[in-house]
Amino acid sequence: MIVKMRQGATRAQISAVERLLRELEFETGKMPGKDHTLIGVYGDVSQAPRGRIFEMPGVEEIISISRAYKRATQKGTGTDRFYSTFPIGNVTIGGGDLVVVAGPCSIESERQMMEAARIMKDAGAHVLRGGVHKYRSSPYSGWEGIGAQSTDDLIEGLRYIVRAGREHQMPVVVEILDPSLINVYEDAGVDCLQIGEPNSRNTILLNALRGTDLPVIHKRGNSLDPEDYLLWVERMMINGKENIILCERGVTGPSQYTRNTLDLGSIAAFHHQLTHLPAAIDASHGTGNRDLVHPMTLAGILAGASVLLVEAHPNPLVAKSDGFQTLFPEQIGNLVEATKEVWKLRETIAHLYVPSAALEPIYEKRVSDDRERLFGRAKTVVGKGTLEEGGGDRAAQL
Ligand code: PEP
Ligand code: MN
């Protein structure tokens, strides 16, 4: 991390920043330049109080020079970005098309999956989902998934979804809980694995998934900061695995009304700033409210999601889990229709998004002239009673 001081920052201001950084136990290295002094900060800067440093008098900018998630990080330049593309079965993720992953929360029976697959296909979904072993909030819920009791049951449940997917030409996604069963999912013909929210930082599972060729949808833990989450994603990538889809499914927030709080800002950050990996939005778990899934899924597309996870069931009123947030067949059809329009809109307006990196160099060259032109040579208070020339935007103007 580098702290860039303003042009004309005083020696006292530079020393104060260095002093604070050392008090915080970082090593520092000063690089005085013609216009700006740079202060290199060494050590684990992930916990550095950036806001506090940024607010110090004379500080212009904090520049991150490397991100801890080296493989998951953004690739290309701010104006010319590279995004990963890879297949789930015969469906391309991160390419030119939006991908809809839809299906029931749980695999409940052979017939239910067959009907669900037909409904998802008719609705225009591309990938079929369903869980074989479910996390439940209460151990007394009475339903832990069709494959919860034994590996044989699990294999049987996987057979239902794989058969239904094949019958309707849709690859299938199933959540995995147990790292020792990865080969069971692979052998059953599952096309993509899902890491559920409770396992978002399950070291053993993530380490084990490094070895599978199957793509993985990794759901963000509901209390994980976006960059901490990317570090957990990175864990799967360290031996070269690249086919990972991020998934925003809501974080813990103040709302009692929605099951979770969908963090659309993080989807925008993943897509525009932080990573080359494709991002999904799961508004079913994100809202926990069937009637909010449609609008929030559409919002997620504009924020930057290119994959959509949606729970839908032949009759959500008899679903064994998450029925309250699960769409009726008519609703999934209408939603997919609407997503196509929003995707078209996103593509049409994409060129109107101008990253600041494209403009900053132009405006940086004009800083001194513009400061003088707009503010004259006004006296400004920076810090506790220090009088200085120039107009810092964070300083209190007198
Ligand atoms: C699911 O996808 O059905 C599920 C349980 O999701 P999450 O892990 O996000 O709660
Ligand atoms: Mn669910």
Side-chain angles (χ1 to χ4, degrees):
M1 181 175 106
I2 289 178
V3 180
K4 181 179 174 189
M5 302 300 293
R6 286 184 183 282
Q7 198 168 3
T10 64
R11 218 180 283 171
Q13 290 171 339
I14 296 168
S15 304
V17 173
E18 288 179 301
R19 204 162 42 245
L20 171 68
L21 289 164
R22 289 204 209 103
E23 274 166 26
L24 293 166
E25 299 190 347
F26 293 111
E27 279 184 38
T28 62
K30 188 161 67 181
M31 297 165 260
K34 194 161 100 17
D35 296 326
H36 299 272
T37 294
L38 305 178
I39 303 170
V41 188
Y42 309 102
D44 176 10
V45 294
S46 62
Q47 302 302 323
R50 285 164 180 259
R52 193 167 147 208
I53 300 164
F54 185 62
E55 289 298 327
M56 291 185 78
V59 172
E60 178 167 311
E61 193 184 354
I62 295 182
I63 305 166
S64 298
I65 47 173
S66 69
R67 288 184 171 139
Y69 42 96
K70 296 180 194 316
R71 291 175 182 272
T73 197
Q74 185 186 46
K75 287 189 183 157
T77 65
T79 48
D80 186 15
R81 297 283 312 281
F82 165 83
Y83 290 101
S84 272
T85 307
F86 53 84
I88 295 183
N90 58 0
V91 172
T92 304
I93 304 294
D97 297 324
L98 182 68
V99 173
V100 181
V101 179
C105 179
S106 300
I107 300 164
E108 295 160 342
S109 72
E110 184 157 23
R111 184 163 224 158
Q112 170 248 11
M113 271 328 292
M114 206 48 95
E115 264 189 47
R118 181 184 49 75
I119 291 162
M120 303 315 140
K121 185 73 184 180
D122 288 351
H126 309 96
V127 181
L128 181 65
R129 62 146 285 151
V132 73
H133 190 176
K134 303 301 300 179
Y135 272 103
R136 305 313 308 275
S137 324
S138 164
Y140 304 111
S141 71
W143 173 250
E144 305 251 305
I146 201 164
Q149 300 300 328
S150 70
T151 306
D152 284 347
D153 289 350
L154 188 118
I155 291 171
E156 185 67 2
L158 293 177
R159 197 174 63 75
Y160 298 161
I161 188 169
V162 170
R163 190 182 274 187
R166 299 288 181 273
E167 176 90 15
H168 293 91
Q169 298 85 47
M170 278 189 289
V172 304
V173 178
V174 185
E175 179 177 346
I176 181 152
L177 276 65
D178 183 340
S180 69
L181 295 178
I182 295 174
N183 63 329
V184 173
Y185 284 66
E186 289 171 337
D187 294 348
V190 169
D191 302 283
C192 177
L193 300 170
Q194 176 178 305
I195 302 171
E197 185 282 327
N199 273 322
S200 194
R201 37 184 161 176
N202 180 331
T203 302
I204 296 172
L205 181 59
L206 295 169
N207 289 354
L209 287 167
R210 289 171 185 160
T212 182
D213 289 335
L214 292 181
V216 174
I217 298 175
H218 184 168
K219 290 196 173 191
R220 175 183 174 192
N222 66 6
S223 60
L224 277 180
D225 162 81
E227 292 198 274
D228 292 341
Y229 163 49
L230 288 176
L231 212 41
W232 286 101
V233 173
E234 180 89 3
R235 174 166 285 279
M236 258 188 299
M237 302 178 79
I238 65 167
N239 294 339
K241 185 170 182 57
E242 286 273 340
N243 48 355
I244 298 167
I245 302 169
L246 308 175
C247 181
E248 168 57 37
R249 45 75 72 207
V251 292
T252 305
S255 175
Q256 306 272 329
Y257 189 74
T258 53
R259 183 174 181 179
N260 291 292
T261 298
L262 267 171
D263 183 5
L264 294 181
S266 286
I267 296 184
F270 293 142
H271 183 65
H272 290 290
Q273 298 181 325
L274 298 180
T275 167
H276 63 96
L277 297 172
I281 179 158
D282 171 356
S284 302
H285 297 86
T287 65
N289 183 325
R290 185 183 302 128
D291 286 328
L292 301 180
V293 172
H294 182 114
M296 290 311 289
T297 300
L298 300 185
I301 299 172
L302 287 180
S306 57
V307 179
L308 312 175
L309 258 66
V310 187
E311 288 187 337
H313 190 284
N315 183 351
L317 303 185
V318 302
K320 291 184 191 278
S321 60
D322 287 353
F324 50 86
Q325 65 189 31
T326 298
L327 299 191
F328 290 102
E330 293 79 355
Q331 291 174 317
I332 181 70
N334 277 11
L335 175 56
V336 176
E337 206 52 41
T339 63
K340 287 185 198 157
E341 294 303 315
V342 175
W343 183 252
K344 254 191 260 163
L345 171 67
R346 174 170 143 183
E347 303 244 283
T348 311
I349 61 177
H351 68 285
L352 297 175
Y353 177 80
V354 184
S356 302
L359 299 171
E360 269 158 10
I362 304 167
Y363 282 86
E364 250 159 33
K365 286 203 192 95
R366 292 169 34 174
V367 161
S368 316
D369 287 353
D370 282 356
R371 203 173 270 148
E372 189 145 342
R373 183 169 59 83
L374 298 171
F375 309 133
R377 300 185 67 76
K379 293 274 182 197
T380 303
V381 172
V382 289
K384 295 188 186 88
T386 322
L387 275 178
E388 201 186 67
E389 296 274 317
D393 50 7
R394 280 161 287 143
Q397 297 276 341
L398 269 188

